[in-house]
Every structure is written in C-alpha cells, then in structure tokens.
C-alpha cells in the first residue's frame, strides 16, 4: 500500500492526513519491522498488512468516537503501539498515556515517539492493575482503550479504573463479541461501566470483521478495584 492509497482509505472516512503524517507512518513501519527482528512486537510485517491491520484498524477508533472532544487517551497493553500511536499521528492534540507490562516494548514505543517527533506521549512500564492505583492515572482519562489484551470481563477491571467519571472505555474486538458481553455483566457493574453501544466495522480491503464496544464510565472506581496484579485475568469477575 503506498501513501496515496492509505490516505485515500482514510479520506473515504473523512480523515485527512498530510505528507508529514504519512511520513510518520512510513517511519513507524520501518522501525516496527527493524525492531521486530530483535524482539517480538508483531506477527504482521508485510507492508500492506501492517497498514491495514495495524494502522488503519487503530485509526478506525476515531470513526466511532469524537476525537475533537477527547483530550487524554490511555492505551492499556499497547504492545507495539496499537491503537494509540496511529491515533496520535492522526490527532496530534491527544495527550497519550501508554501502559504495558513488558519493558522492552515500552523502550520501543519511547524510541518511536522520539523518532517521529510525537509530543505528549508518556510510556509507563507496569501492570495496569498497579498503575491504576496511582493517583495521576486513576479516574483520569477522557478515553481509555485496549486492543487484543484480554476478554471483556477481565478487561473491564484493567481499563475502566483509568477512565474519568463521564469518560469512555472503547474495547477493540475482532469477531462478534456477544459471548464476551454476556459474561461481562458483573465486571461492568462493579467497575461502574455501562455499555453504550457496540459498533460493527470491517477492514476496508481484506474485509474481516471488527467490533468496538463503547462503555460509559458512570462513577469513580470503587476502592477494591482493580484487584492484585494477575487476579483480573486469572479470576475474572463473572
Ligand atoms: N494492543 C496491541 C495490539 O493490539 O497489537 C498489543 C496486544 S498484545 C497481544 C497484549 C499486550 O498487553 C502485550 O504487550 C502485554 O505486555 C500487555 N499486557 C498484558 N497484560 C497486561 C497488564 N495487566 N498490564 C499491562 N499490560 C499488559
């Protein structure tokens, strides 16, 4: 996929990117492939696939949320930077906080942010369960997101504590998440989340299915949550 075709896919969704932003995506792609030889960042390295399945898929969150009304974004379990870094490239005003428990990935993300000249990107090494206990991160963010991190029942406990009251948690999922939603009732109640809407989407070329679950944060996180690191995934609130 060349710059023009990527820009055209975004333009079809009403999003304009300039040459500098396209160059940032190019550089991000190069760094991803380069560093992936030394550490495990992604199974996808072919240019077209990276642009569609990582870059476009990440940016797609902006098609279903209002980025102009979003100032702070937290990306939990960001891995190689998805979805937050493509969003930051397209929406430079965002203040982005990335949390990941693997320090090598955090180092990669810091390097990418510096190389691309992205300002207002903070990369935090740690477990979401621990970081959400820190005052500066708890009940703070306008928008919290996570892609491919855990099932929704566990993910609610990892992510909702970061969202401010009145904020939004957007869980990025693949195929139909109906089953995950069914088992997420208790975690939603305990973590003060309420499903607003589930938005189905499709990747533009290979057409695979995606879903974004939009969850409103109704009140401050109760003191008991999140539980000890590891517990939300091992013993989800079912
Ligand atoms: N979001 C990226 C994506 O969509 O490509 C990465 C997904 S990767 C499968 C999951 C990431 O979540 C890994 O980088 C892992 O280190 C991180 N992770 C898993 N559990 C975590 C936790 N409790 N706190 C912080 N990061 C976590």
């Amino acid at each position: 996929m060349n710059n023009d075709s990527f820009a055209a896919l975004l333009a079809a969704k009403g999003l304009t990117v300039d040459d500098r932003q396209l160059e940032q995506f190019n550089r991000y792609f190069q760094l991803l492939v380069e560093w992936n030889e030394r550490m495990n960042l992604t199974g996808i390295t072919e240019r077209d696939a990276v642009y569609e399945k990582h870059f476009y898929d990440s940016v797609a969150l902006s098609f279903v949320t209002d980025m102009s009304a979003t100032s702070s974004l937290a990306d939990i379990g960001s891995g190689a930077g998805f979805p937050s870094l493509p969003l930051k490239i397209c929406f430079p005003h965002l203040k982005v906080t990335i949390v990941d428990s693997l320090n090598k990935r955090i180092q990669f993300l810091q390097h990418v942010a510096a190389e691309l000249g992205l300002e207002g990107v903070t990369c935090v090494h740690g477990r979401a369960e621990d970081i959400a206990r820190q005052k500066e991160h708890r009940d703070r963010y306008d928008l919290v997101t996570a892609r491919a991190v855990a099932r929704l029942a566990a993910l609610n406990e990892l992510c909702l504590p970061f969202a401010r009251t009145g904020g939004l948690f957007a869980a990025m999922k693949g195929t139909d998440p109906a089953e995950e939603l069914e088992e997420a009732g208790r975690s939603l109640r305990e973590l003060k989340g309420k499903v607003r809407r589930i938005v189905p989407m499709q990747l533009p070329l290979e057409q695979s299915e995606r879903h974004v679950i939009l969850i409103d944060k109704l009140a401050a996180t109760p003191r008991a949550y999140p539980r000890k690191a590891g517990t939300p995934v091992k013993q989800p609130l079912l």
Side-chain angles (χ1 to χ4, degrees), residues 19-186:
D19 288 345
R20 174 161 188 264
Q21 289 165 312
L22 288 168
E23 197 36 58
Q24 287 175 317
F25 277 112
N26 277 328
R27 187 75 189 117
Y28 188 6
F29 169 66
Q30 285 171 355
L31 290 168
L32 184 68
V33 171
E34 215 176 286
W35 283 56
N36 202 47
E37 285 170 14
R38 287 181 270 143
M39 65 173 76
N40 179 19
L41 288 168
T42 175
I44 300 170
T45 52
E46 196 260 322
R47 186 182 163 100
D48 285 2
V50 168
Y51 269 70
E52 184 175 19
K53 293 185 181 177
H54 285 326
F55 294 168
Y56 182 96
D57 188 49
S58 295
V59 173
L61 183 57
S62 72
F63 308 153
V64 300
T65 55
D66 182 1
M67 285 297 160
S68 65
T70 304
S71 152
S72 54
L73 169 73
D75 183 7
I76 309 305
S78 184
F82 308 123
S84 53
L85 288 189
L87 287 164
K88 172 70 184 174
I89 293 172
C90 291
F91 300 92
H93 72 278
L94 291 174
K95 285 194 209 76
V96 172
T97 298
I98 286 173
V99 178
D100 202 285
S101 52
L102 215 67
N103 200 30
K104 279 190 167 181
R105 296 201 177 120
I106 290 292
Q107 284 166 5
F108 168 72
L109 296 171
Q110 275 162 342
H111 183 73
V112 172
E115 278 277 309
L116 270 52
L118 301 174
E119 279 165 26
V121 177
T122 306
C123 302
V124 183
H125 171 226
R127 305 283 291 255
E129 298 92 317
D130 299 322
I131 306 302
R133 288 273 170 198
Q134 299 173 5
K135 206 172 156 227
E136 70 262 41
H137 298 296
R138 190 174 178 88
D139 293 322
R140 288 273 177 236
Y141 294 89
D142 296 331
L143 178 60
V144 182
T145 188
R147 193 187 79 155
V149 175
R151 284 177 75 84
L152 191 63
L155 205 55
N156 281 329
E157 189 170 352
L158 298 180
C159 294
L160 277 165
F162 288 88
R164 67 171 169 81
T165 301
L168 191 65
F169 165 39
M172 302 188 73
K173 295 286 178 186
T175 49
D176 190 358
E179 218 180 277
E180 279 190 54
L181 273 159
E182 250 172 56
E183 66 179 36
R186 177 162 175 233

